[in-house]
């Protein structure tokens, strides 16, 4: 998960996509553009970025939409609580999300 | 600092204000802090309230500049302080720390009498989060529901009264853009200041009651913790417990010793074990506060934004898509920048010509009406010529600032940071370094000061070191002058060679900055990659009034620098060039004037070119220039150019004033009708060769592109980094690079040409 290219490849593999009717946990970094997901957990709650994300309202149970990726695939733009936020893949990997196919 | 408002000497609106002062002399004063999230129109509101009654002032002890202004309410004068924007009372940067310090009185000033919390009406949930934290400070609080019109445009109808009731705070609806609600705000502020039952910090329960109790115990057990914070001590201890690895924790460790860190961790651990073992205190705080915010917002906003897909909103979204498009967006980005540079160069020309004519007219007037001598020379050749040569570039600076602020206010700057973050990371920096770097194109001083928004120390230092390489407004006059003098006026369609050279110089500065940042991040400032969280605000129509105020402010800052540093240096340079006027040099003057027969020495003292050249060569500056001439000879500079460059080390824009002074005194052309450009263009070595060949002129430009010729930048670097180490390193490095670059250009130029 540490190597960006690995993550990129993971994103496009079928195994990583949520199965029909089910839900699969993954990190925010792996979310496809246009996909929505719910925050379920954090990797490192004492990380400075995670703390800041929490103050910005990114908490367990919140719905997030992946809006776009910058030209080089990083950073990412997400939408939560009606505003747009840019974060890097490194930070996005600390947020665990659950995508639902519905 | 506040007392300074009493002395307003150079104030155009003084008379009007004096009447206001008399009217209100019986009233009281109140210090009010303006605080809110970034991008809430906070500074716009500040400008709308205080208008021209404002200044940029320093916080005593620390180094951030806060906007300070005044405005009257029916019952008192308000001293309003515009605090740096922040999302939570959990500082992630020195800027945010200053805001927290100001609110709690830890910054050296007493805490404010009241707080105006600026809330983005389109982002109620997120911006009310900070309000719930502010409420616990116990200070009288007024919530300004700003951007109310924008919320309306998004199809949101907000019941402000209901919000006020459910939130338990006074709410006033405003729109800094249209002026809506600005007449009501002073009345509401008076009400808040007069009517609110005084509270103590900590009177309201915190987000996590057991945490408050733990903080209270800890504060009692450690009386030295935040000793100066008075009633805010417990709150600050609470924040230190919540904010793991934050600035407050660091301060406690600094003050009480290293074991404090473990001590705090233990308190946290014990608390969490009984509360929620899998969570963190920040998480618990955020959850509790967002729940509270949602309660306060119940039934306040009608029509969810999900349903509010108006044509305008959809247009905005489409514009957003276009501007952030991987290819088109980047293309538009570079196009925007190119347009800015071309405009700066071409739009300013007529204004500059006018200023040039006015300056020449003034100097002529002085020369015609004052008797020949020290005074006339000082005024015409020192003061008018010198300052005029700098003021002439004010149009360019104002145009550039207008563009930069326009980009910032419209919300495009953050998108640009998003676009270039990956690129900036290649340079070892982050997208957050982009804004300080871009500001440095106007002036490295605000640029370096803007690095406070970069939370990571190493990134910040690298940005500070790279910032002076960006082509600042003080380099612009030097470039513009040298380009106009030596680069041929040739154009191919809309592209002209002069503009192209200017663009190349900008690029050179950028490359120098990138190389420097990379070098530092690989050596002195090596470390793990820092974080990057940035809100991407929606595109908005900029508040032109506020923008105009800020452009004027920057222009004034440039002029005050031009009027003080440059004036002083100009006069010193003039004096160095004019003196000594001792018997020996007078003899030399007369001797060289003697061969001209039949000219009356009464009305027209010896104005022979040789005589003036001899006088200047014998002057202090000439002596200095001669002393260093061998050092600069490889760059193709004679003692005159060397003298001018020496004179411009305190402030690079002085080069023009110095050249003007030097050539006005010692030039070999008729000084009545020829401009500085012609004089420099025709300057020759004693053997008749032209001094400024194209390579030498280009070399001089490269020297100015790299060299750190700005005392104010060095002083700012010292202030921001806390020691002279960085500015001295920067000076040695940049000057060396400038010399090397100029030498290379001259070598290559003379080989090719």
């Amino acid at each position: 998960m540490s190597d960006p290219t690995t993550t990129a490849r993971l994103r496009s593999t079928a195994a990583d996509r949520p199965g029909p009717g089910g839900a699969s946990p993954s990190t925010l970094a792996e979310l496809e553009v246009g996909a929505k997901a719910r925050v379920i957990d954090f990797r490192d709650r004492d990380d400075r970025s995670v703390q800041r994300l929490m103050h910005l309202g990114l908490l367990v149970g919140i719905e997030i939409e992946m809006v776009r990726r910058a030209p080089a695939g990083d950073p990412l733009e997400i939408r939560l609580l009606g505003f747009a936020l840019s974060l890097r893949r490194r930070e996005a990997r600390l947020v665990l999300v659950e995508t639902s196919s519905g | 600092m506040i007392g300074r408002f009493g002395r307003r000497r150079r104030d155009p609106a003084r008379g009007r204000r004096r009447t206001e002062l008399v009217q209100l002399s019986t009233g009281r004063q109140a210090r009010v802090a303006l605080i809110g999230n970034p991008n809430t129109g906070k500074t716009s509101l500040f400008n709308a309230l205080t208008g021209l009654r404002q200044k940029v002032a320093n916080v005593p002890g620390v180094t951030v500049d806060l906007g300070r202004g005044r405005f009257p309410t029916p019952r008192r004068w308000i001293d309003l302080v515009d605090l740096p924007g922040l999302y939570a009372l959990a500082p992630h940067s020195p800027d945010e720390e200053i805001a927290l310090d100001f609110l709690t009185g830890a910054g050296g000033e007493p805490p404010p009498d009241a707080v105006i919390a600026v809330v983005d009406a389109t982002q109620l949930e997120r911006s009310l989060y900070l309000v719930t934290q502010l409420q616990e400070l116990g200070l009288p609080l007024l919530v300004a529901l700003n951007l109310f019109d924008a919320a309306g445009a998004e199809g949101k109808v907000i019941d402000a009264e209901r919000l006020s009731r459910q939130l338990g705070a006074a709410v006033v609806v405003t729109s800094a853009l249209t002026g809506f609600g600005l007449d009501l705000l002073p009345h509401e502020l008076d009400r808040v200041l007069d009517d609110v039952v005084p509270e103590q910090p900590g009177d309201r329960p915190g987000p996590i009651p057991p945490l408050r109790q733990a903080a209270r115990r800890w504060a009692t057990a450690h009386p030295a913790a935040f000793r100066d914070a008075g009633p805010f001590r417990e709150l600050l201890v609470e924040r230190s417990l919540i904010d793991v690895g934050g600035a407050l924790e660091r301060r406690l460790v600094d003050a009480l010793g290293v074991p404090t860190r473990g001590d705090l961790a233990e308190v946290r651990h014990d608390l969490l074990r009984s509360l929620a073992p899998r969570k963190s205190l920040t998480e618990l705080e955020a959850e509790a506060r967002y729940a509270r915010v949602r309660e306060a917002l119940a039934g306040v906003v009608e029509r969810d934004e999900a349903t509010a897909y108006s044509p305008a909103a959809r247009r905005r979204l489409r514009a957003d898509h276009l501007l952030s498009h991987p290819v088109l967006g980047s293309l538009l980005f570079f196009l925007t920048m190119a347009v800015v540079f071309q405009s700066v160069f071409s739009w300013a020309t007529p204004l500059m010509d006018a200023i040039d004519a006015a300056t020449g007219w003034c100097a002529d007037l002085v020369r015609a009406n004052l008797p020949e001598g020290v005074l006339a020379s000082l005024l015409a050749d020192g003061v008018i010529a010198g300052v005029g040569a700098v003021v002439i570039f004010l149009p360019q600076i104002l145009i550039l600032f207008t563009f930069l602020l326009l980009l910032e206010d419209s919300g495009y700057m953050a998108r640009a940071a998003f676009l270039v973050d990956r690129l900036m990371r290649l340079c070892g920096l982050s997208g957050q370094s982009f804004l300080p770097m871009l500001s440095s194109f106007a002036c490295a001083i605000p640029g370096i000061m803007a690095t406070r928004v970069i939370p990571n120390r190493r990134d910040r230092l690298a940005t500070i070191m790279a910032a002076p390489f960006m082509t600042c407004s003080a380099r612009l006059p030097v470039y513009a002058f040298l380009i106009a003098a030596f680069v041929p006026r040739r154009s191919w369609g809309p592209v002209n060679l002069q503009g192209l050279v200017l663009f190349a110089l900008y690029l050179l500065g950028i490359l120098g900055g990138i190389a420097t940042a990379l070098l530092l991040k690989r050596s002195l400032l090596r470390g793990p990659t820092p974080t990057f969280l940035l809100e991407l605000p929606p595109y908005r129509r900029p508040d032109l009034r506020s923008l105009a105020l800020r452009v004027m402010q920057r222009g004034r800052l440039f002029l005050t620098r031009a009027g003080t540093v440059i004036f002083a240096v100009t006069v010193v340079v003039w004096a160095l060039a004019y003196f000594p006027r001792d018997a020996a040099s007078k003899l030399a003057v007369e001797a060289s004037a003697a061969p001209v027969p039949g000219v009356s020495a009464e009305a027209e003292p010896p104005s022979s070119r040789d005589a003036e050249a001899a006088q200047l060569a014998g002057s202090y500056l000439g002596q200095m220039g001669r002393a260093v001439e061998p050092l600069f000879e490889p760059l193709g500079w004679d003692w005159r150019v060397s003298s001018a460059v020496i004179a411009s080390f305190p402030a690079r824009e002085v080069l023009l004033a110095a050249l003007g002074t030097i050539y006005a005194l010692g030039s070999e052309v008729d000084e009545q009708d020829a401009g500085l450009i012609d004089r420099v263009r025709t300057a020759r070595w004693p053997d008749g060769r032209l001094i400024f060949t194209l390579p030498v002129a280009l070399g001089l430009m490269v020297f100015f592109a790299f060299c750190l010729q700005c005392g104010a930048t060095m002083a700012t670097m010292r202030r921001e980094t806390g020691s002279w180490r960085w500015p001295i390193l920067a000076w040695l490095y940049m000057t060396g690079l400038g010399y090397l670059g100029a030498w290379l250009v001259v070598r290559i130029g003379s080989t090719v040409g």
Side-chain angles (χ1 to χ4, degrees), chain B residues 345 349 352-353 393 396 476-489 496-499 501-502 505 656 676-678 680-681 694 697 701:
Chain B
F345 214 64
T349 311
M352 287 162 64
D353 289 345
F393 295 101
Q396 289 186 329
L476 206 53
V478 177
Y479 289 168
F481 168 73
L482 290 171
I483 286 174
F486 299 107
V487 178
R489 232 180 247 277
N496 73 63
L497 186 62
Q498 296 190 330
V501 170
L502 184 68
L505 284 165
L656 293 181
L676 185 57
I677 286 176
D678 298 314
V680 173
R681 216 186 249 161
L694 188 60
M701 289 184 223

Side-chain angles (χ1 to χ4, degrees), chain B residues 205-261:
Chain B
I208 314 161
L211 171 64
R212 178 63 54 85
Q213 289 151 24
R216 193 160 291 166
R217 278 198 303 274
W218 205 88
T220 315
H222 301 81
F226 304 117
R227 205 179 323 165
D228 308 326
F232 296 98
R233 281 188 65 227
E234 283 169 21
L235 276 186
L236 289 175
V237 170
E238 184 179 276
R239 292 246 52 101
S240 318
L241 283 168
I242 293 174
D243 209 12
V244 180
L248 293 175
E249 180 185 309
R250 197 192 59 229
R251 274 195 221 173
L252 276 182
V253 171
D254 286 349
L256 305 177
V258 178
T260 311
R261 199 180 296 276

Side-chain angles (χ1 to χ4, degrees), chain B residues 585-644:
Chain B
S585 64
K586 245 188 208 132
L587 264 177
V589 168
E590 273 153 27
S592 57
V596 187
V599 175
S600 162
E602 291 301 321
E604 189 81 350
S607 60
S608 151
R609 303 174 299 204
D610 296 335
E612 285 194 13
Q615 154 63 28
L616 188 56
S619 72
Y620 296 121
L621 189 69
Q623 290 166 27
M624 280 164 70
R626 275 185 197 292
V628 297
E629 197 182 49
L631 186 66
F632 288 125
E633 220 188 318
L635 308 186
W637 305 350
D638 70 342
W639 60 271
R640 273 176 250 237
V641 181
S642 304
S643 308

